[in-house]
Amino acid sequence: MKLEERARELEAKARELRFHIVDMVHAAQSGHCGGSLSAADIVTALYFEFLNIDPANPDKGDRDRFVLSKGHACPVQYAALALRGFFPVAELRSLRAMHSRLQGHPVQGKLPGIEVTTGSLGVGICEAVGLALEARLRKASWRVWAVLGDGELGEGAVWEAAQAATKFGLDNLIAVVDNNGLQNDGYCRDILPLRSIPDKFRAFGWAVLEMDGHDMEDILRTFGKALLITGSPVCVVAKTVKGKGVSFMEDKRDWHGKAPNAEQYAQAVAEIKGGPA
Amino acid sequence: MMHESAKIPTRRAYSDRMAERGESDPDFAVFESDIGYSTYSYLFGDRFPERYFNFGIAELSTMAAAAGMASTGRRVIVSGYGVFLTMRALEVVRSFICYPKLNVKLLSSHGGLTAAIDGVTHQATEDIAFMTTLPNMKVLCPADPVAARAACDLALDTPGPVFTRLMRDPLFELYGTEEEFHIGGSKTLRQGGDVAILSYGDLVFKALLAADRLAALGIEARVLDLYSVKPWDREAVFAAAGECGAILVVENHQRRNGLGYEIATTLLKAGSCLPFDNLGLDDTFAESGNYHEMLDEYGLGPASITAAAERLVAAKKGRA
Ligand SMILES: Cc1ncc(C[n+]2csc(CCOP(=O)(O)OP(=O)(O)O)c2C)c(N)n1
Ligand SMILES: [Mg+2]
């Protein structure tokens, strides 16, 4: 299939993910819409095109490992896992409820497909380094993909992990930065100016690629390129919009961790289902 | 018993007071790590931008920077979630704030299981153990907005490090605005001579609800609000032990190494051997879910407190 055709299919899939993100956060009346929606296209591409995973055998040894370092965005991962067949889609609405497998932040062992526990920012990328080292130790061919927030880059541990990954030459590690420009208290440029994320990772010894995190063709091409890089870890900096796909959530600080009410839910669903791809 | 639901959570009340106090007290600074809209520290930041420093998501270096500023004697309030302040930054709090006795005050939100719905990574259920264990640290846990405002003042007026555990969810109004609080103090919210229930923070109200149930069963429970968790009110606790003859400590925390352990050890060392129990998380992590349902589920609701108190009263009778 041509890349363009595949991109159209994945765009439709991303729309489904977006619907379920808003739907489950609405059902729970709690959760993080903004950062889930900004990562929806990236996560769709990974789960439906790139990750070597098998819902029938979620623990198969040589699977790729996906680490959601920005764990608060787990609605996007839960939606992807359900739509990929790891557990029933109907279970998504149990998000954050008592006894649910869909914890407020991802918990290893609770739900098939969750590799490591995350939720405290700055930790997931370090765990990803450990997973990449484990692949080397086992002489296994799996790849580790980690998705980070841009606010998350404020944690010093991210840069400690970045240096370790370079030292160990972890070319089986790909970190994707969801560069939506917002963190909890406001724009990153006001809260903690990052200057150039690509320059920073390059200075730390990583190969860096940049892409539009909402252009599916660009995502497919860029991830494809990332797979070919050897000798160093790869950082893909994805330009994104927080809340992407729901007009009133886009680029808004206060949609970081808020649930839509009934009216907002109806409008969000209408936009996701009816809007342009 | 009639108590109004509080309109604001204790995290908000502390921050409200912090912002007000900025007017009359020009010397303290506030450090935040990108959750100012959740801790409400932004209320101070909006009024006093020159004394408000948001470091981004970097709790460890925020705490260490606070130590640096406070090394000059300045008072610095560091705002954050309990899990990050008391765990990610724990070594800095211990070795570089408590050891040199610096004027760093921790505004610690989302204490215990109030971050229920966010799950275990956000639930500070070991914070009291960590903080009370540190030499020179004082620990407060207000049960209502009035007490939370007072905690802010106590923290700023008491030399050295002071940790205040605050809650995410609005609790209940227990105190009038005239009420006074001090380090080492406590409040007896209900008199009774059959069993004493000692608690702090959000569970004080659950203890009061349990005391109502116990009264219906003919058991008069004394209820103490130990808002000063360290130092705690030895006099009031020993009086309760002597007069009630049974002690139940109820904490939104691990049972292990919480205030219950401390009180039990102290009573034992003083030769007081009486029916005793402590409720808390029983060597387990919780999960995501509704806050009040979660308290019930993990044995911290009025039903569990009532049952534990009944057992203690029965044990007391058995001994007599
Ligand atoms: C160590 C840590 N500190 C603070 C938080 C609270 N928190 C959750 S999300 C968030 C902002 C995240 O911003 P960013 O990484 O840019 O994520 P995104 O914009 O993609 O949602 C914060 C401060 C946390 N989860 N972990
Ligand atoms: Mg961001």
Side-chain angles (χ1 to χ4, degrees), chain A residues 28 30 32 96-99 103-105 117-121 123 151-152 154-155 183-186 191-192 253, chain B residues 32 34-38 52 54-59 84 88 117-119 121-122 287-290 293-294 297-298:
Chain A
S30 174
H32 297 80
R96 294 183 159 225
M98 285 293 292
H99 310 307
Q103 293 289 296
H105 292 78
T117 297
T118 58
S120 304
L121 296 165
V123 175
E152 182 180 12
E155 287 289 356
Q183 49 191 108
N184 188 65
D185 280 351
I191 303 301
L192 188 67
R253 186 200 66 73
Chain B
E32 175 56 76
D34 193 38
I35 48 167
Y37 279 96
S38 180
Y52 182 72
N54 195 331
F55 285 75
I57 308 170
E59 297 82 2
F84 308 130
R88 189 160 295 199
I117 199 133
D118 284 320
T121 52
H122 286 57
E287 59 190 289
S288 298
N290 172 279
E293 279 176 39
M294 176 103 59
E297 176 88 12
Y298 286 87

Side-chain angles (χ1 to χ4, degrees), chain A residues 187-215:
Chain A
Y187 289 109
C188 300
R189 62 172 181 267
D190 299 323
I191 303 301
L192 188 67
L194 292 161
R195 304 178 71 106
S196 166
I197 298 172
D199 284 354
K200 275 191 167 140
F201 274 95
R202 256 181 234 115
F204 275 72
W206 290 49
V208 176
L209 301 171
E210 296 178 62
M211 70 183 190
D212 176 341
H214 301 306
D215 177 337

Side-chain angles (χ1 to χ4, degrees), chain A residues 134-227:
Chain A
E134 174 66 18
R136 173 171 303 176
L137 210 51
R138 290 195 200 181
K139 302 191 172 36
S141 61
W142 79 58
R143 231 174 254 283
V144 185
W145 292 83
V147 173
L148 290 85
D150 44 9
E152 182 180 12
L153 301 182
E155 287 289 356
V158 170
W159 302 101
E160 295 175 25
Q163 294 180 107
T166 298
K167 170 184 169 174
F168 296 121
L170 296 180
D171 54 8
N172 55 349
L173 174 63
I174 303 177
V176 184
V177 176
D178 181 356
N179 187 198
N180 59 29
L182 272 166
Q183 49 191 108
N184 188 65
D185 280 351
Y187 289 109
C188 300
R189 62 172 181 267
D190 299 323
I191 303 301
L192 188 67
L194 292 161
R195 304 178 71 106
S196 166
I197 298 172
D199 284 354
K200 275 191 167 140
F201 274 95
R202 256 181 234 115
F204 275 72
W206 290 49
V208 176
L209 301 171
E210 296 178 62
M211 70 183 190
D212 176 341
H214 301 306
D215 177 337
M216 197 53 83
E217 292 180 24
D218 196 10
I219 296 173
L220 290 176
R221 275 192 211 97
T222 309
F223 283 172
K225 272 187 222 154
L227 293 177

